[in-house]
């Protein structure tokens, strides 16, 4: 939020990195949230209440994002394995990797 409304190049804005940790293939209970960036402490404190109450990934997905903030990325994260990076996860833990077809 610190730089969200300023007229500056996106590449000049500070980056924020985050990871949502879920447990259970059926419920995906949120058991951890890691964040590095400006005001991460303030963002994490808000989500700590939801986690303490047993929030699931579906609960996070159904929340309305506050725009423009870095915190909105927590509730708009894609599903496992949808990372556009070549090094991103391709298979959800606990699933079977199919044999490649040659």
């Amino acid at each position: 939020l610190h730089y969200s409304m300023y007229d500056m190049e996106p590449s000049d804005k500070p980056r924020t990195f985050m990871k949502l940790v879920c447990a259970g293939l059926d419920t995906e209970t949120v058991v951890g949230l890691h964040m590095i960036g400006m005001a991460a402490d303030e963002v994490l404190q808000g989500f700590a209440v939801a986690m303490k109450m047993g929030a699931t990934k579906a609960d996070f997905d159904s929340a309305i994002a506050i725009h423009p903030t870095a915190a909105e990325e927590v509730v708009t994260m894609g599903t496992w394995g949808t990372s556009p990076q070549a090094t991103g996860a391709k298979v959800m833990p606990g699933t079977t990797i199919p044999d490649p077809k040659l």
Side-chain angles (χ1 to χ4, degrees):
L1 183 60
H2 295 279
Y3 296 97
S4 62
M5 303 303 285
Y6 294 110
D7 184 23
M8 60 191 316
E9 293 296 319
S11 59
D12 293 336
K13 294 181 182 182
R15 306 274 314 248
T16 300
F17 300 92
M18 56 194 72
K19 174 175 67 173
L20 197 61
V21 181
C22 300
L25 292 175
D26 53 342
T27 60
E28 288 188 307
T29 302
V30 178
V31 296
L33 176 58
H34 303 239
M35 191 169 187
I36 299 171
M38 292 186 75
D41 53 340
E42 298 294 330
V43 174
L44 291 174
Q45 182 61 38
F47 286 108
V49 174
M51 292 170 54
K52 188 89 169 155
M53 297 175 69
T56 64
K57 175 72 167 86
D59 293 327
F60 276 54
D61 291 343
S62 67
I64 296 174
I66 301 169
H67 180 75
T69 66
E72 76 179 296
E73 302 301 326
V74 176
V75 297
T76 58
M77 279 188 190
T79 57
W80 182 271
T82 59
S83 172
Q85 299 173 326
T87 59
K90 303 297 182 197
V91 178
M92 190 166 88
T95 59
T96 305
I97 301 171
D99 292 329
K101 306 283 187 224
L102 297 176

